[in-house]
Amino acid sequence: MIHQHLLRRSALLICFLACCSFLTAQTLGESAQTVSFCTLSRQPDKYKNSLVTLRVRVKSFRHGTSISDPSCPKQGIGLIANESAGQTNSVSHFYQFLQERRLSKIPIFAMITGRLVADSDSSFVKRDIVFKLESVSQVSEGDQPGKQ
């Protein structure tokens, strides 16, 4: 009886560790590739649905948010929050920050990570592709700090 109990507990522990190992491998299996906004906007098919990190200028408008880079003028991509990312402090604080500065003329730059996806009619303005934000860091106002 005790032997069977120990075997069950051992089997349960092995299953638990295997699941943790699998989940860790899945999480670590896809790391974000850092690319320039100009490269992403020129080759959207290459990066579609891939996890990427970009340094971008962010503009908030009445009917949405867009990202761009002064290095490649007249190129812009809509920005939407991933549903689960919208619940994180960094993303929710970021959108609050953008809302507070929506009328400001001072440019806002940020390091963002997410995926280029087909637009699912998520905003007032219909676009073919949008950048689905998963995380944000290094938010700054004013001139763009050293490009990466």
Side-chain angles (χ1 to χ4, degrees):
M1 176 91 168
I2 294 175
H3 183 65
Q4 287 179 339
H5 182 68
L6 286 174
L7 282 175
R8 278 192 206 133
R9 288 183 76 176
S10 296
L12 185 60
L13 180 61
I14 289 170
C15 287
F16 175 76
L17 292 174
C19 287
C20 288
S21 175
F22 174 76
L23 291 173
T24 301
Q26 291 291 83
T27 302
L28 297 176
E30 184 180 19
S31 60
Q33 179 182 2
T34 302
V35 296
S36 73
F37 175 83
C38 297
T39 300
L40 181 80
S41 64
R42 279 193 310 264
Q43 302 172 341
D45 291 335
K46 180 178 178 180
Y47 297 102
K48 202 170 203 178
N49 295 316
S50 297
L51 192 63
V52 295
T53 298
L54 323 160
R55 181 84 184 155
V56 293
R57 180 177 181 170
V58 184
K59 282 190 175 183
S60 183
F61 302 98
R62 182 180 216 163
H63 298 292
T65 306
S66 70
I67 56 174
S68 62
D69 187 326
S71 303
C72 47
K74 298 184 182 182
Q75 298 290 322
I77 296 175
L79 180 69
I80 61 172
N82 184 328
E83 293 80 20
S84 60
Q87 304 302 318
T88 65
N89 281 342
S90 67
V91 173
S92 62
H93 282 85
F94 178 63
Y95 273 99
Q96 181 179 354
F97 176 82
L98 290 175
Q99 183 62 29
E100 291 168 358
R101 288 158 179 80
R102 185 168 56 90
L103 300 176
S104 173
K105 300 287 185 208
I106 300 171
I108 298 170
F109 291 91
M111 184 70 76
I112 61 173
T113 300
R115 299 170 194 279
L116 200 57
V117 298
D119 190 6
S120 59
D121 198 28
S122 59
S123 66
F124 184 75
V125 179
K126 181 68 178 144
R127 300 174 187 256
D128 292 335
I129 56 170
V130 292
F131 192 85
K132 189 175 272 193
L133 180 64
E134 295 184 18
S135 68
V136 61
S137 63
Q138 301 176 21
V139 179
S140 63
E141 288 184 276
D143 293 333
Q144 184 175 8
K147 289 188 178 184
Q148 298 183 2

